[in-house]
Amino acid sequence: MTTQLDAPVLDFGRLEEFAGKVSADQAAAYNAVLVYLGDRLGLWQALASLESATIAELAERSGIAPRYVQEWLSAQAANGYVTYDAATESFTFSPEAAAVLAEEESPTAMMAGFELIAAVWAAVDKLAHAYTTGEGIAWHQHDPRLFSGVSRFYGTLYRNSLLTEWLPGVHGLVERLQSGIRVLDVGCGLGLPTIMLAEAFPNSTFVGVDYHDESIRLADAAAQEAGVADRVQFEVADATSYTGSHDLVLFFDAVHDFGDPVGALAHARSVLSPDGLVVAVEPYAEDTLEANLANPIAGVFYVGSSALCVPHSVSEGGAALGAQAGPARLTAAFRDAGFATARVAVATAYNLVIQATA
């Protein structure tokens, strides 16, 4: 039994420092709800169009009730997202902040992260059940904001890196795509990278597969809107049920989510043409926890993995590699699936690109 005499002696300086960190995290968590509402209700875009606005001006531009605009703007000023000028009673939204919060196509767009946070909070009761029972949560069991949020979140990475870093890092791949090959995207979600590739390489044909019916429906609609439906086809299939023969099989942030990554990779190998190639894009990670903890981005990856990646893999009875599996475990999965070669072709601040040949 622990008595008062056995209680640890607290370092009040460290206690104050840690309590301050938790207080700041709580403020950020509370404000995340309001930042998300700003995106959902168009407040950030309206503010960006005005650059500087009074409460009345932003209320008129956004169509939001003035009293709510007043409190929302005050919260954003208190949290450093906008600045307040008492002399003019106006709030200023900097171009830099707009590039992060209001411009969907910006290379620094980060609004999708708040939509993902909303989706994770919506699943908190399911997560509590999963954590206590050891059961999983499949992708389709999450709040629908997860599907659009993930597409938006990774869209920033795709626009920044897909055509400029990832593909050029795989020797000869861009040239093959330009000439015309058959490409398969496994776990395609809403189909954004598939459509981007179809736009960039009109001589190639593309198939995207995902087990989630609603994602495939939305991907089909997006392909029609983009004008690439003549060379892009989306189908409902899981990671081991698709067919055909393909010159390139792609996995975008999917391998670590599978319940049986080795089985999924082995199936991909079985549909490759004789000179075919598999390319998997995964979150950047090192091979040990201590090395990952030195990476400032790892906090986001581990949180996402705890709420999304591991629960889905467990739902499939799975290996639960997690979003910080690291290159050694990932390339080992390729070798266990029978690939002759598997190596990291590209490493960026956010991603690993693995290429493998049969």
Side-chain angles (χ1 to χ4, degrees):
M1 184 178 82
T2 301
T3 68
Q4 190 172 8
L5 293 176
D6 298 322
V9 177
L10 298 178
D11 181 322
F12 285 99
R14 293 176 62 188
L15 175 62
E16 184 178 24
E17 180 183 1
F18 186 73
K21 170 182 168 49
V22 172
S23 177
D25 288 349
Q26 287 180 340
Y30 276 123
N31 195 49
V33 176
L34 298 181
V35 177
Y36 166 67
L37 282 175
D39 178 54
R40 177 170 171 171
L41 300 176
L43 280 161
W44 294 118
Q45 290 79 7
L47 191 54
S49 70
L50 294 168
E51 296 183 4
S52 181
T54 64
I55 292 165
E57 288 169 342
L58 181 58
E60 181 178 0
R61 179 63 62 93
S62 65
I64 304 300
R67 183 62 184 89
Y68 284 105
V69 169
Q70 175 185 343
E71 213 67 8
W72 184 84
L73 277 171
S74 298
Q76 300 321 307
N79 283 278
Y81 281 43
V82 301
T83 57
Y84 176 62
D85 184 342
T88 60
E89 296 186 342
S90 62
F91 297 82
T92 299
F93 192 42
S94 72
E96 295 76 17
V100 174
L101 296 176
E103 299 170 12
E104 189 74 21
E105 301 298 315
S106 165
T108 56
M110 297 180 68
M111 271 311 311
F114 293 94
E115 187 175 11
L116 285 175
I117 291 167
V120 170
W121 269 113
V124 71
D125 291 339
K126 293 178 181 179
L127 285 167
H129 178 79
Y131 272 50
T132 54
T133 62
E135 298 173 6
I137 306 173
W139 189 257
H140 68 276
Q141 294 175 308
H142 279 277
D143 184 274
R145 284 170 291 195
L146 178 64
F147 318 133
S148 56
V150 162
S151 183
R152 293 176 67 195
F153 180 86
Y154 284 113
T156 300
L157 290 173
Y158 298 148
R159 287 189 292 271
N160 284 345
S161 298
L162 177 59
L163 301 175
T164 58
E165 292 181 298
W166 299 346
L167 296 185
V170 179
H171 180 71
L173 181 54
V174 170
E175 290 76 12
R176 293 185 66 185
L177 285 162
Q178 289 171 336
S179 296
I181 57 175
R182 298 161 298 173
V183 182
L184 174 70
D185 179 3
V186 181
C188 65
L190 303 193
L192 180 57
T194 322
I195 292 169
M196 287 182 62
L197 289 170
E199 290 173 328
F201 302 106
N203 292 329
S204 291
T205 57
F206 300 84
V207 176
V209 298
D210 199 291
Y211 90 100
H212 187 227
D213 300 59
E214 178 63 8
S215 290
I216 291 299
R217 185 188 70 79
L218 293 171
D220 269 328
Q224 292 284 347
E225 184 176 354
V228 295
D230 60 323
R231 53 188 182 275
V232 177
Q233 180 180 353
F234 290 105
E235 302 172 356
V236 177
D238 64 29
T240 57
S241 65
Y242 55 84
T243 59
S245 177
H246 309 278
D247 304 307
L248 172 65
V249 177
L250 297 168
F251 295 92
F252 290 104
D253 289 281
V255 171
H256 68 270
D257 290 325
F258 294 138
D260 179 13
V262 172
L265 293 172
H267 187 70
R269 188 173 65 87
S270 74
V271 301
L272 280 181
S273 61
D275 61 345
L277 181 70
V278 170
V279 173
V281 178
E282 286 284 304
Y284 181 87
E286 301 286 351
D287 289 321
T288 65
L289 174 59
E290 55 268 32
N292 283 332
L293 293 180
N295 180 4
I297 305 300
V300 173
F301 287 149
Y302 274 120
V303 169
S305 188
S306 299
L308 303 171
C309 310
V310 167
H312 178 79
S313 181
V314 171
S315 77
E316 296 183 340
L321 289 177
Q324 292 289 271
R329 294 175 69 193
L330 290 168
T331 53
F334 279 89
R335 290 193 294 273
D336 291 344
F339 284 89
T341 66
R343 69 179 186 88
V344 175
V346 182
T348 70
Y350 298 100
N351 291 97
L352 299 172
V353 179
I354 299 169
Q355 71 174 86
T357 57

